[in-house]
Amino acid sequence: MSAAIAIEDLHKSYRRKLKSPAVPALRGVTLTVEAGEAFGFIGANGAGKSTAIKILMGLIAVSAGSARIFDVPVDDPRARLGLGYVPENPYLYDYLTPLEILLMGVRLHRLQLDRPAEHCRQWLDRLGLGAVAEKPIRSFSKGMTQRVAIAQALSIRPRLLVLDEPLSGLDPIGRRDVVEILSEYKRSGGTLFFTSHVLHDVERLADRFGLIHQGVLRAVRAPAELTGDEEMVQVRSYGRLPVDGMREDFSGRWIGEVPRPQLWQRLEALRQAEHVLLEVRPTLSLEVAFMHAVGES
Ligand SMILES: Nc1ncnc2c1ncn2[C@@H]1O[C@H](COP(=O)(O)OP(=O)(O)OP(=O)(O)O)[C@@H](O)[C@H]1O
């Protein structure tokens, strides 16, 4: 079976003005994502993530190299059939309703459905948009628009889902819901390619990460390879009694850092002091973790 995404020695340069020199955004990226895999593409602002995604979506041309989706070159429109896409800032026709947008998507992707409206409504319900399915999206918040775009991408039963910062406009509950929906999509055999800055969200979804830095793919790793024993984990809790290693943040809220291997001891100490656990999260940013992994400071 062919790879879901095959990128080979991809280069892209932009000219800010007609006669200004071309500035490289991607400098020889080679990457394969297998069908059924969830791949997280991470990197700092301006690293080249969106450029790579726009090339995959056929929105901009490559300067050199090649990119194929299920063995079809990305400049062939057939590459986009069954490809769900959520851009970083989705632009949707704001005089349309979510239901109309989803119906348009399933038609464009030639999905054979007995009851297309019912199918689309189910997806809107799943994304918490059932009550506004027939309201023009003009009045929607950024997070709601993001949900419409995600619902549309999923409603076409995509063989590949490409998401640029899929969680960026969402509140914490929205993030949790979308991570759950994407995990479900992945469990059902779907392929995911997405970008993010947020380690915690990416960790929950990706089988592998690629770190892109100044247009160069610096490393590809599995999540477990990123979090070494030296990593510090931040723990937050709520309780009356002090616990060793925890400092009071404000009115009964405690915060502390602990090396990952000692996390369970700390949690046990909190349990014994009858604290309520509020949060456990890694303190390393993805970029720092990655730089560790590739041996750079
Ligand atoms: N249309 C454009 N014209 C000129 N330069 C561009 C254009 N789009 C992107 N760039 C430049 O290409 C580089 C890569 O940008 P890109 O948007 O791919 O990064 P990114 O990793 O997606 O960043 P972010 O996390 O901020 O979205 C940056 O230096 C950016 O300024």
Side-chain angles (χ1 to χ4, degrees), residues 126-127 147 172-182:
R126 189 78 176 81
L127 269 295
R147 282 164 184 258
I173 294 172
R175 293 176 103 88
R176 192 199 57 199
D177 291 351
V178 170
V179 167
E180 179 49 38
I181 291 167
L182 295 177

Side-chain angles (χ1 to χ4, degrees), residues 14-16 23-26 43-52 54 88 164-165 197 212:
Y14 292 105
R15 268 177 221 286
R16 286 180 210 275
V23 180
L26 293 178
N45 291 129
K49 305 181 296 292
S50 299
T51 298
K54 285 178 192 157
E88 190 173 359
D164 202 353
E165 294 284 346
H197 296 113
I212 186 159

Side-chain angles (χ1 to χ4, degrees), residues 154-296:
L154 283 159
S155 67
I156 67 160
R157 293 192 183 140
R159 53 183 180 160
L160 168 62
L161 202 49
V162 174
L163 311 150
D164 202 353
E165 294 284 346
L167 308 170
S168 66
L170 302 172
D171 59 30
I173 294 172
R175 293 176 103 88
R176 192 199 57 199
D177 291 351
V178 170
V179 167
E180 179 49 38
I181 291 167
L182 295 177
S183 310
E184 209 176 283
Y185 164 76
K186 184 169 137 26
R187 279 196 299 274
S188 70
T191 310
L192 263 173
F193 184 83
F194 63 97
T195 68
S196 185
H197 296 113
V198 188
L199 173 62
H200 188 57
D201 295 326
V202 185
E203 244 184 350
R204 286 147 80 190
L205 280 173
D207 299 313
R208 288 190 303 152
F209 307 103
L211 172 77
I212 186 159
H213 185 60
Q214 295 177 348
V216 176
L217 187 62
R218 297 295 302 271
V220 175
R221 295 279 192 280
E225 294 176 87
L226 280 183
T227 46
D229 280 354
E230 78 282 7
E231 191 210 351
M232 299 297 282
V233 180
Q234 190 180 74
V235 180
R236 296 198 310 114
S237 66
Y238 181 76
R240 272 186 308 111
L241 300 174
V243 171
D244 268 358
M246 300 293 284
R247 59 187 183 278
E248 195 165 8
D249 199 7
F250 64 94
S251 56
R253 277 151 220 273
W254 301 80
I255 189 164
E257 280 83 35
V258 58
R260 192 175 273 267
Q262 286 156 35
L263 177 62
W264 293 110
Q265 278 160 265
R266 177 67 56 89
L267 295 182
E268 178 55 23
L270 291 170
R271 194 183 66 80
Q272 285 185 7
E274 296 183 351
H275 276 223
V276 175
L277 190 60
L278 295 177
E279 190 180 33
V280 175
R281 66 180 180 92
T283 57
L284 283 182
S285 74
L286 260 191
E287 284 75 22
V288 173
F290 244 110
M291 286 305 177
H292 276 280
V294 296
E296 287 195 14

